[in-house]
């Protein structure tokens, strides 16, 4: 099965080079000035990374993105590594013709920061031939919105087809019901995006937040939330998921089940995807100094809808499962954890049982969606016999 890694589009790198007034092409990274620039930013990236992991509470409370140098290093490294994280979830939404390329796509982004979700979504819309979009960018900090606005001048001019109207406003998600008239009047929105923000918010207000977001959505719209792939942050999102389902939202994706998330049953489980990507040379140069190796893009995501439509219903009527682990190939067998309507279980196939009807199991990768019939439930796992039917129906990165 051919799988295509995600790639940062040239339009983005060109716009980022312009914004940072530094040529990000490989030949410039090896010059004396280039090396000094990368070293300076790598040091700040290390500080951000440490802040977001070790001294999280204090670092987040310091509103780190207000600092101009931090914001620039964040744009250079984190906006780039976050940019592509919206692409696969948006492709999953498109499996059901979610975007009508002939009408204006109306988006609200929450906790915009330097705008990664917005630029990624815009690039995706352009790639599917959408002609018009309207995007409202919101944050608590005016500095972030200003930064996004400056970047937009460099980025938007790269697109010749899609026409985009951007608007900006403050929206404090700690007070989710205090929505400005400007934000309300620009709605309802077809897509809400919220990337790397939930984990900065107090969980006790999640229900209020959900109600408020749902009120801004059009009837067949969706909320896309993306969070880091770490255990704590992923579980934070999974708890939001369970709360949302209790409050009548539908999980469109990644889950193929609506009932409670089985990853929350055990303290040490969580759930995330992983996308192969072509790591840009300037990210590699920073990684080489900081020691962080961003060889793939890992993140947790959740798509909620209020019209009851699910990815599962779009794909197949057969029982569907999401692979929530990598595939482990061992001597006489292969195994992977699959999550579906019946729960989250390790599935095993003995190599001698591989057959025409189940051979896809030998290719399964984390976050592929597959249909399965004829499995055999055992005490601690599920076995796929020779006659089991296993088919990958939505391969991750199987399509551009
Ligand atoms: C880690 S950054 C993520 C930025 C961007 N979405 C991304 O993924 O690159 C978190 C963002 O959430 C914003 N934020 C934090 N608390 C917020 C709140 N209560 N209301 C709105 N935005 C908030 C911060 O200002 C910051 O821009």
């Amino acid at each position: 099965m051919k799988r295509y890694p995600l790639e940062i589009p040239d339009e983005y790198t060109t716009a980022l080079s312009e914004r940072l007034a530094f040529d990000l092409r490989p030949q410039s990274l090896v010059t004396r000035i280039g090396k000094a620039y990368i070293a300076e930013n790598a040091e700040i990236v290390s500080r951000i990374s440490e802040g977001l992991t070790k001294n999280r509470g204090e670092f987040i409370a310091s509103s780190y993105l207000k600092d101009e140098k931090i914001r620039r290093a964040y744009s250079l490294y984190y906006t780039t590594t976050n940019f592509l994280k919206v692409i696969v979830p948006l492709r999953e939404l498109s499996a059901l013709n979610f975007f009508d390329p002939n009408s204006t796509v109306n988006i609200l982004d929450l906790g915009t920061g330097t705008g990664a979700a917005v630029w990624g979504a815009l690039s995706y819309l352009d790639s599917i031939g959408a002609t018009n979009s309207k995007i409202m960018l919101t944050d608590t900090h005016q500095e972030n919105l200003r930064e996004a606005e400056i970047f937009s001048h460099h980025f938007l001019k790269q697109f010749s087809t899609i026409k985009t109207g951007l608007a900006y406003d403050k929206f404090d998600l700690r007070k989710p019901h205090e929505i400005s008239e400007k934000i309300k009047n620009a709605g309802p929105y077809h897509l809400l995006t919220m990337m790397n923000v939930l984990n900065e918010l107090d969980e006790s207000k999640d229900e209020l937040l959900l109600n408020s977001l749902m009120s801004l959505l059009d009837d067949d719209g969706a909320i896309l939330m993306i969070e880091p792939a770490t255990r704590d942050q992923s579980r934070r999102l999974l708890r939001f998921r369970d709360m949302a389902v209790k409050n009548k939202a539908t999980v469109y994706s990644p889950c193929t089940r609506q009932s409670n998330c089985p990853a929350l049953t055990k303290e040490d489980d969580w759930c995330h995807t992983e996308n192969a990507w072509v790591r840009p040379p300037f990210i590699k140069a920073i990684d080489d100094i900081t020691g962080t190796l961003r060889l793939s893009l890992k993140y947790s995501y959740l798509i909620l809808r209020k019209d009851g439509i699910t990815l599962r219903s779009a794909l197949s009527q057969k029982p569907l499962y999401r692979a929530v682990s990598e595939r482990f190939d061992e001597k006489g067998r292969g195994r992977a954890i699959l999550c579906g309507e019946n729960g989250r279980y390790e599935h095993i196939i003995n190599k001698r049982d591989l057959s025409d009807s189940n051979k896809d199991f030998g290719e399964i990768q984390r976050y592929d969606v597959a249909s399965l019939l004829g499995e055999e439930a055992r005490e601690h796992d599920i076995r796929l016999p020779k006659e089991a039917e296993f088919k990958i129906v939505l391969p991750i990165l199987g399509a551009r």
Side-chain angles (χ1 to χ4, degrees), residues 318-319 321 334 338 347-362 370-378 382-392:
K318 292 184 187 161
Y321 298 80
L338 305 185
H347 287 61
I348 290 184
I349 193 159
N350 291 319
K351 292 210 169 133
R352 63 171 182 274
D353 289 335
L354 280 169
S355 66
D356 271 356
S357 66
N358 66 30
K359 63 176 184 310
D360 273 11
F361 196 88
S371 64
L372 172 61
L373 288 172
E375 72 275 27
E376 179 199 322
R378 304 193 296 194
I382 292 179
R383 184 178 84 93
L384 274 68
K386 217 175 230 137
E387 51 296 348
E389 283 176 39
F390 185 87
K391 187 111 207 91
I392 297 175

Side-chain angles (χ1 to χ4, degrees), residues 123-323:
S123 177
Y124 176 74
L125 290 176
D126 183 64
S127 76
I128 59 167
T131 47
N132 283 291
S133 70
K134 255 173 50 183
I135 310 181
M136 173 72 72
L137 296 81
T138 67
D139 205 289
T140 30
H141 296 309
Q142 202 63 49
E143 294 85 346
N144 293 346
L145 296 177
R146 180 77 196 118
E147 178 65 44
E149 190 174 3
I150 295 170
F151 183 77
S152 76
H153 297 313
H154 300 288
F155 192 51
L156 260 49
K157 69 177 186 203
Q158 309 286 329
F159 299 96
S160 52
T161 317
I162 189 162
K163 297 205 172 29
T164 301
L166 300 183
Y168 304 83
D169 203 12
K170 275 192 158 189
F171 186 7
D172 185 347
L173 299 168
R174 285 168 299 189
K175 301 172 195 154
H177 276 94
E178 294 181 19
I179 309 171
S180 72
E181 289 305 312
K182 184 173 174 183
I183 293 173
K184 275 191 207 155
N185 291 340
Y189 301 90
H190 195 43
L191 177 69
L192 265 61
T193 48
M194 184 165 156
M195 177 149 76
N196 301 314
V197 185
L198 185 70
N199 68 74
E200 296 197 7
L201 302 177
D202 176 6
E203 197 165 341
S204 66
K205 297 231 176 93
D206 276 4
E207 216 164 308
L208 276 180
L209 177 64
L210 175 76
N211 291 338
S212 173
L213 301 190
M214 284 291 184
S215 76
L216 288 162
L217 209 57
D218 66 23
D219 289 342
D220 51 2
I223 303 173
L224 166 59
M225 299 172 102
I226 296 179
E227 289 297 316
T230 59
R231 186 181 68 169
D232 285 357
Q233 288 152 354
S234 163
R235 288 177 70 85
R236 168 84 177 84
L237 182 66
L238 299 179
R239 290 193 296 276
F240 190 92
R241 173 216 179 272
D242 276 6
M243 176 280 298
V245 173
K246 278 196 196 118
N247 284 279
K248 311 256 180 305
T250 305
V251 184
Y252 175 83
S253 154
C255 314
T256 58
R257 66 188 252 137
Q258 294 300 313
S259 32
N260 70 304
C261 172
L264 287 174
T265 316
K266 279 204 257 153
E267 276 296 311
D268 54 356
D269 275 344
W270 72 103
C271 191
H272 68 85
T273 186
E274 179 168 13
N275 301 154
W277 76 318
V278 180
R279 189 169 49 142
F282 63 92
I283 296 290
K284 179 181 181 307
I286 294 175
D287 283 348
D288 287 347
I289 297 174
T290 59
T292 39
L293 264 190
R294 216 152 290 240
L295 294 179
S296 61
L297 301 174
K298 295 182 185 168
Y299 55 97
S300 300
Y301 69 92
L302 171 66
I303 301 177
L304 295 173
R305 296 179 68 136
K306 58 180 174 187
D307 59 7
I309 291 178
T310 64
L311 179 64
R312 187 190 178 296
S313 58
L315 291 176
S316 166
Q317 291 312 308
K318 292 184 187 161
L320 288 189
Y321 298 80
R322 179 78 73 165

